[in-house]
Amino acid sequence: MKLCLRPSIAILLLGLLAGCAAAPERVILVADDDGTVGRAVVSTSAGSVVLDEGREGTRIIRAKTPPETPTTMADTEITGLFARAIAAKSRTPVRFVLHFLTGGTELTDDSKNRLPEVLNTLRGWPVPQVAVTGHTDRVGSADINYRLSLERASLVRDKLIAIGVTPSAIEVTSHGESNPIVPTADDVSEPRNRRVEVAIR
Amino acid sequence: MPRISKHGIALGLGALLLAPLAAQAADGMVKTSAGAAYIHRQGAKLPAQVGVALDAKDILETGADGAVGITMQDNSRFSLGPNSRFVVEDFAFDPHQNRLAFVGRVESGTLSFNSGDIGKLAPDRVRLTTPLGTIGLRGTALLIQVPNR
């Protein structure tokens, strides 16, 4: 007797095999653009693994088994899987931190001198958005700080428009005291947190 | 006759001035796009062209030759390779109101992810899921692949 599978049965069997040994999912930790490596916790309903070194990766085979013990992946392996996704990454946003003279609405000389750099960075940036965000330290009430840093951000917006930045590209927001560079207790004066950030993205 | 205090007028003007600011800031924007790349939004399928806004609840999809790269309002970034599908389940970036969230689901294909300010301010509120797992992260970059089933 000849052992012969009809095509439809062969396809069905292939389908079943694929179902049993489905390709795994992969999660790989890589260094951020500034070279730092963070930490990721990968979990299924059955357990977790931690990734905390560059190029460390894990595979998930099933939802009801824990992710596999992490291994370090070769660069070539990563490129083979992710070349297109990596090539599609948008540009790393560039941030400028501007400071004001104490208590006033006047930028420090250093900060004034950085404004032309903002304009230079914008040249050649694809569909640029310019996020101007005001920040304060924690002296005073959160609401007053929100308004104060919104005012300062608006001043920076006006200066950017004056040197030639397209107004429609600018978004002005305020984070008040809620997004410090140096976290402090309430009512602590911290000059490094009193700033306006200009992020180009 | 109703009396309107100076204070009331100031508040009214403030609201008028702030409203357009809030409206113009989309959650994210398409910054790179190649081949077939789409955004599914409320039943509509839009081309994911460079410059198009992206919002929470949008679904991004790429075809066999497609790829797309996004930058979000908190400066986090993600991109998809070919044959990929990613759902922006939740996004909020308003530190003053303590509204912070970035939750995304990779349904298929390849994703590159770099966390942003939400990851710094509230790492617990950045979460990525796949059909089989959940990923919590702390200020980092990740690559995720979900095979097409």
Side-chain angles (χ1 to χ4, degrees):
Chain A
M1 190 186 110
K2 271 203 307 191
L3 184 65
C4 172
L5 294 172
R6 271 181 291 167
S8 58
I9 295 174
I11 288 168
L12 190 69
L13 280 175
L14 276 175
L16 284 173
L17 280 173
C20 294
E25 295 177 357
R26 288 171 191 273
V27 181
I28 303 157
L29 185 71
V30 289
D32 222 325
D33 298 305
D34 60 4
T36 60
V37 175
R39 186 172 187 273
V41 181
V42 184
S43 310
T44 66
S45 59
S48 303
V49 298
V50 173
L51 307 176
D52 54 11
E53 281 175 46
R55 293 188 285 110
E56 201 172 30
T58 182
R59 306 196 308 170
I60 309 175
I61 315 281
R62 273 180 289 268
K64 288 180 178 167
T65 55
E68 291 186 343
T69 305
T71 56
T72 301
M73 300 201 39
D75 277 328
T76 48
E77 205 177 354
I78 291 175
T79 316
L81 290 169
F82 293 100
R84 289 291 308 278
I86 291 169
K89 281 172 74 159
S90 52
R91 247 188 233 196
T92 309
V94 175
R95 245 181 248 255
F96 298 87
V97 181
L98 307 176
H99 292 279
F100 285 80
L101 293 172
T102 308
T105 51
E106 192 71 15
L107 285 172
T108 63
D109 284 345
D110 271 359
S111 294
K112 269 184 209 157
N113 292 335
R114 299 211 69 193
L115 293 176
E117 264 184 76
V118 175
L119 197 60
N120 279 334
T121 308
L122 272 172
R123 293 205 173 96
W125 194 281
V127 287
Q129 292 164 281
V130 184
V132 181
T133 310
H135 303 268
T136 64
D137 61 18
R138 299 188 66 188
V139 175
S141 85
D143 282 333
I144 287 171
N145 281 333
Y146 176 84
R147 262 176 280 168
L148 173 68
S149 50
L150 187 61
E151 269 170 41
R152 283 183 164 176
S154 302
L155 281 168
V156 170
R157 175 195 50 204
D158 295 345
K159 287 182 195 296
L160 290 173
I161 292 171
I163 61 168
V165 177
T166 312
S168 62
I170 304 176
E171 294 161 13
V172 177
T173 49
S174 170
H175 292 174
E177 60 182 51
S178 56
N179 188 358
I181 287 180
V182 188
T184 70
D186 201 11
D187 279 319
V188 171
S189 167
E190 175 47 73
R192 284 172 291 180
N193 291 339
R194 294 196 290 264
R195 72 209 191 270
V196 170
E197 288 194 5
V198 178
I200 297 174
R201 59 170 177 259
Chain B
M1 193 182 117
R3 285 177 54 197
I4 302 168
S5 69
K6 264 189 202 166
H7 211 65
I9 291 171
L11 281 175
L13 281 174
L16 279 178
L17 290 172
L18 287 174
L21 290 179
Q24 95 184 57
D27 291 341
M29 187 185 272
V30 176
K31 296 290 187 178
T32 77
S33 183
Y38 300 96
I39 296 169
H40 296 270
R41 180 180 297 158
Q42 295 167 351
K45 185 179 180 181
L46 322 162
Q49 289 166 340
V50 171
V52 167
L54 189 83
D55 283 310
K57 308 297 175 200
D58 284 353
I59 301 169
L60 271 167
E61 189 178 51
T62 58
D65 63 342
V68 65
I70 313 288
T71 303
M72 302 300 281
Q73 223 189 6
D74 73 323
N75 293 323
S76 57
R77 296 175 297 145
F78 64 90
S79 54
L80 304 180
N83 293 318
S84 302
R85 200 175 150 92
F86 180 80
V87 185
V88 183
E89 294 192 303
D90 192 11
F91 185 87
F93 183 55
D94 185 352
H96 178 63
Q97 301 291 342
N98 194 24
R99 292 181 57 247
L100 300 165
F102 191 168
V103 182
R105 190 168 76 241
V106 191
E107 295 194 331
S108 61
T110 49
L111 173 90
S112 162
F113 182 88
N114 287 73
S115 69
D117 284 4
I118 299 170
K120 276 179 210 140
L121 290 169
D124 294 345
R125 300 194 219 161
V126 181
R127 196 172 72 245
L128 298 170
T129 61
T130 65
L132 301 180
T134 303
I135 300 120
L137 45 149
R138 249 154 230 279
T140 195
L142 277 182
L143 301 167
I144 298 173
Q145 184 200 28
V146 174
N148 292 294
R149 288 175 204 276

